[in-house]
Amino acid sequence: MVTATTEGVKISVEATYQKEFSNPSLHHYVFTYKVTIKNCNPFTIQLLRRKWEIHDAAETVKLVEGEGVVGQQPVLEPGNVHTYLSGCTIRSGMGKMMGEFYVEKLNDGKLLTVTIPEFQLIANIFNN
């Protein structure tokens, strides 16, 4: 698990290779990742958007941007946590992801950019 705190928002991410859904002979590797967002600020925030960079050892970088996370734009009171599970596919057994969340301070409307720390996507095809 990797963790980073930016603008008082703590992001933790843990990735897992999904062997049962992958097919290495067809260059199809599936990963899930669990993201935990904790608001360590004394004010309420709302997650509005996300931007991911997916790096694959076999391809160029893929950018994924959009509103919220898995269809939600969670509001986090001070000390609250939001956790979600998502996934991605890559063509090789090795890659990495990183990105940013864009959140709004609900008390004054200020927009904050929160770093999603870099994490590895490694297919452990022998032991998983």
Side-chain angles (χ1 to χ4, degrees):
M1 177 182 301
V2 297
T3 299
T5 302
T6 313
E7 299 281 3
V9 181
K10 181 179 178 181
I11 307 295
S12 301
V13 186
E14 184 173 18
T16 304
Y17 174 57
Q18 299 296 322
K19 182 178 181 179
E20 61 275 17
F21 299 108
S22 299
N23 189 336
S25 65
L26 295 177
H27 306 287
H28 182 78
Y29 296 85
V30 178
F31 294 85
T32 56
Y33 52 92
K34 179 181 174 184
V35 180
T36 302
I37 305 163
K38 181 176 183 181
N39 182 10
C40 301
N41 291 296
F43 49 80
T44 301
I45 60 170
Q46 181 173 18
L47 192 153
L48 300 177
R49 299 187 58 77
R50 74 196 180 294
K51 179 172 80 174
W52 286 102
E53 291 181 22
I54 305 169
H55 296 254
D56 187 332
E59 292 185 348
T60 59
V61 177
K62 184 181 351 177
L63 294 176
V64 178
E65 297 185 62
E67 290 188 4
V69 289
V70 292
Q72 299 180 338
Q73 292 181 313
V75 173
L76 295 158
E77 301 284 336
N80 280 7
V81 172
H82 179 78
T83 300
Y84 73 94
L85 187 66
S86 192
C88 70
T89 61
I90 58 176
R91 292 188 42 77
S92 74
M94 292 181 58
K96 63 184 178 180
M97 289 180 66
M98 74 278 295
E100 296 173 332
F101 289 133
Y102 304 102
V103 302
E104 179 183 1
K105 291 173 59 178
L106 293 185
N107 62 340
D108 64 8
K110 182 179 178 187
L111 297 177
L112 307 174
T113 301
V114 177
T115 300
I116 303 168
E118 179 180 309
F119 59 96
Q120 302 299 310
L121 303 172
I122 301 173
N124 186 344
I125 58 175
F126 301 108
N127 297 326
N128 221 352

